[in-house]
Amino acid sequence: MPDGAGRSGLLPDRHPTADFFVCDIFDASPKDDLGSMEHPIFSLSTRPDRRVLSYNHNDVAITITPSVRGRATIHDKDILIYCISQLMAALNAGREISRTLHLKAHDLLVATNRDTSGDAYARLREAFERLAGTRITTNLTTGGLETTRGFGLLESWEIVRRSRGGRMISVTVTLSEWLFRAVLSKSVLTLSRDYFRLRKPLERRVYELARKHCGRQPGWRVSVTTLHKKAGSAAPVRVFRAALRRMIVDDHLPDYEMREDTGDMIIFERRHQVVMPDTLTPLAPLTLDEARTLAPGADIYALEAEWRSWWAETGRPRLSNPDAAFLGWVRSRNTRL
């Protein structure tokens, strides 16, 4: 009996649940994908940014082409962070996921610390349009062959229902294959919830760069010119430098402190970090891979930082094999949870 038709006389199930994912996880931890954290895809401007941006990093060329409505902004990215966070929470819970998601607009606004006024729903629709209209073109080399491909940040979006007052109630969005693969491979990092409290676009961009580059180390030292390139700022370097100095004074970044150093350098350090002596060597990549298997879905670098802090608090005992000690700690931690 094709398409699920049976004795009951029911119509076939033309849209099985597996075709979409319902965003229904309360308080999912904010997650960001590593690809968009590394590259300056999103605009930092508060006005429509219609520039075509080209960026080269480690032999990978990326071109971001906006639509007539402008390039997707760093605040538009909240939508993608919300979707990635929901999918990762479901994946870690053993649920099936899909790159097409059904979500309640109100839940998205609340989770990303936005107001829920009528204007907020209108701005949300504009964000969907910019995300779908912004096109990414990049080259990938595999087996000696270079392939150039293009895609949108959102493949599609649709408002599925409106209230009598015209307010958006729920929407359906389909993520790009690029973003969905990042979720499936767990190429994501956990963000502080205070990320959504950062007002200035540059603060948000600098925070995610610090979050990515400080993941395995106590700090990150970077030149102003390199940070300017990574941030994707359209401002001249001197204006960008002045903005960084204001950020240092304001001290709003979650988790990290900033300071200026000689040689036109900026240093990021974890707040209240435990400074580790040189005797504790870095963990091997294979050790981190095994830890990912032992603690699926966990932010492995945050886990390593937690272990190092625990090691310091226990008196910094001498470790003949730090890799084995770390894996043993992960196993015992999983037993305690």
Side-chain angles (χ1 to χ4, degrees):
M1 296 182 186
D3 297 326
R7 292 188 302 272
S8 63
L10 294 174
L11 290 172
D13 184 0
R14 297 189 179 95
H15 305 286
T17 304
D19 288 348
F20 62 84
F21 172 77
V22 178
C23 296
D24 58 359
I25 300 175
F26 176 73
D27 213 26
S29 297
K31 305 283 186 181
D32 200 354
D33 72 286
L34 291 171
S36 66
M37 292 177 79
E38 174 64 28
H39 305 297
I41 292 172
F42 296 89
S43 173
L44 305 181
S45 176
T46 55
R47 298 179 179 180
D49 186 350
R50 299 185 179 89
R51 297 174 303 138
V52 176
L53 179 68
S54 294
Y55 178 78
N56 291 276
H57 180 72
N58 292 339
D59 297 324
V60 175
I62 297 177
T63 301
I64 302 100
T65 306
S67 69
V68 293
R69 296 188 177 276
R71 186 153 53 103
T73 71
I74 195 75
H75 286 281
D76 297 341
K77 189 180 182 181
D78 289 356
I79 294 171
L80 303 183
I81 293 174
Y82 177 79
C83 292
I84 291 170
S85 305
Q86 287 284 317
L87 291 175
M88 282 303 306
L91 197 62
N92 294 335
R95 291 172 54 181
E96 289 189 11
I97 62 173
S98 165
R99 66 187 182 101
T100 296
L101 300 89
H102 286 190
L103 58 94
K104 294 180 180 178
H106 179 270
D107 291 350
L108 188 157
L109 293 172
V110 170
T112 56
N113 197 43
R114 298 188 178 204
D115 67 75
T116 55
S117 65
D119 287 345
Y121 288 86
R123 289 193 295 270
L124 196 57
R125 172 173 177 159
E126 292 169 359
F128 287 136
E129 292 174 340
R130 284 190 294 268
L131 286 167
T134 299
R135 305 294 300 178
I136 312 297
T137 305
T138 185
N139 65 314
L140 300 171
T141 301
T142 305
L145 297 177
E146 182 178 290
T147 303
T148 301
R149 58 191 297 264
F151 51 89
L153 293 169
L154 284 183
E155 184 173 298
S156 64
W157 62 275
E158 181 183 28
I159 299 174
V160 272
R161 191 173 64 196
R162 285 177 175 270
S163 66
R164 290 181 180 178
R167 179 172 291 188
M168 184 189 308
I169 300 297
S170 57
V171 296
T172 301
V173 297
T174 300
L175 300 181
S176 68
E177 287 279 3
W178 180 65
L179 279 174
F180 190 60
R181 281 200 304 270
V183 172
L184 293 177
S185 64
K186 298 185 177 180
S187 299
V188 300
L189 286 176
T190 303
L191 303 180
S192 167
R193 294 188 187 279
D194 286 337
Y195 168 84
F196 297 117
R197 299 182 61 197
L198 296 175
R199 293 179 179 273
K200 297 178 181 178
L202 183 60
E203 288 179 334
R204 291 189 169 209
R205 178 61 184 145
V206 168
Y207 167 77
E208 65 177 4
L209 284 169
R211 175 69 186 89
K212 182 178 186 300
H213 288 278
C214 290
R216 293 192 59 187
Q217 51 193 356
W220 179 40
R221 189 170 186 267
V222 60
S223 69
V224 170
T225 52
T226 298
L227 190 58
H228 178 263
K229 178 183 177 182
K230 282 181 170 290
S233 173
V237 174
R238 60 178 178 79
V239 176
F240 179 77
R241 184 184 297 107
L244 293 177
R245 288 171 175 164
R246 286 195 296 272
M247 288 177 61
I248 292 172
V249 173
D250 292 340
D251 194 27
H252 288 161
L253 289 193
D255 304 330
Y256 303 102
E257 295 176 341
M258 293 174 60
R259 60 185 173 88
E260 193 172 8
D261 200 9
T262 56
D264 206 25
M265 305 293 289
I266 300 294
I267 294 177
F268 296 86
E269 293 177 331
R270 284 187 177 273
R271 297 184 187 275
H272 315 300
Q273 68 175 335
V274 177
V275 178
M276 305 308 301
D278 293 338
T279 54
L280 194 57
T281 58
L283 299 179
L286 288 177
T287 300
L288 297 179
D289 289 340
E290 187 172 347
R292 289 188 180 93
T293 303
L294 293 171
D299 180 346
I300 205 64
Y301 300 130
L303 207 59
E304 180 187 357
E306 183 183 343
W307 169 71
R308 288 176 179 272
S309 296
W310 172 83
W311 175 80
E313 290 169 2
T314 56
R316 295 180 171 83
R318 183 177 181 84
L319 300 177
S320 58
N321 190 335
D323 296 82
F326 172 63
L327 293 175
W329 178 86
V330 172
R331 292 187 187 95
S332 64
R333 176 183 179 276
N334 290 346
T335 302
R336 295 193 303 269
L337 292 179

